[in-house]
Amino acid sequence: LLGQPREYPTALVESLGKLLARHGNVRAAYLTLMHDPSADPQPHLVIGLDIEGDIDAAMRETGAVAADILPGEPVDLFHVVPGDVPPFYKRA
C-alpha cells in the first residue's frame, strides 16, 4: 500500500528541501508512505529523488538528514525516473 502519511513530516520535508536546493543535479523529490503488512507491521516513509548524473552525495546526505530528524524510524530512499507523481521539491 502506498499513500501520503496521516501526519505529514513537515520538519523532514523542510530540511530536505533546504538540503536538496544545494544539489544542482536534483530535479525533484517525492514522498510516500509504504506499508506491506506481510513484511512489516508498521508503515514507513519512502523518499524518491529525481537526480541527473552522480546520485551518491545527494542520496547519502538525504539519508543522514532523515536519520537525524526521524531517529529509529526506517526510511527508504530510491532513484526515480520522472512520472505522474507530484514532487514535494522541484528545482525551479
Side-chain angles (χ1 to χ4, degrees):
L1 302 171
L2 295 175
Q4 287 297 301
R6 184 175 300 145
E7 292 182 28
Y8 196 74
T10 304
L12 175 64
V13 169
E14 289 174 357
S15 292
L16 289 177
K18 291 174 186 173
L19 167 73
L20 298 174
R22 297 192 314 255
H23 287 273
N25 62 331
V26 176
R27 293 182 290 223
Y30 302 82
L31 176 76
T32 192
L33 187 70
M34 182 174 80
H35 189 209
D36 178 358
S38 67
D40 191 344
Q42 296 298 318
H44 65 276
L45 293 174
V46 178
I47 298 170
L49 300 179
D50 172 4
I51 305 174
E52 292 180 291
D54 183 27
I55 67 171
D56 292 336
M59 290 293 244
R60 184 176 49 254
E61 291 175 28
T62 296
V65 168
D68 285 347
I69 293 176
L70 303 171
E73 292 187 37
V75 176
D76 286 338
L77 302 175
F78 71 99
H79 183 212
V80 220
V81 176
D84 294 332
V85 179
F88 73 81
Y89 170 81
K90 186 170 183 176
R91 182 168 299 284

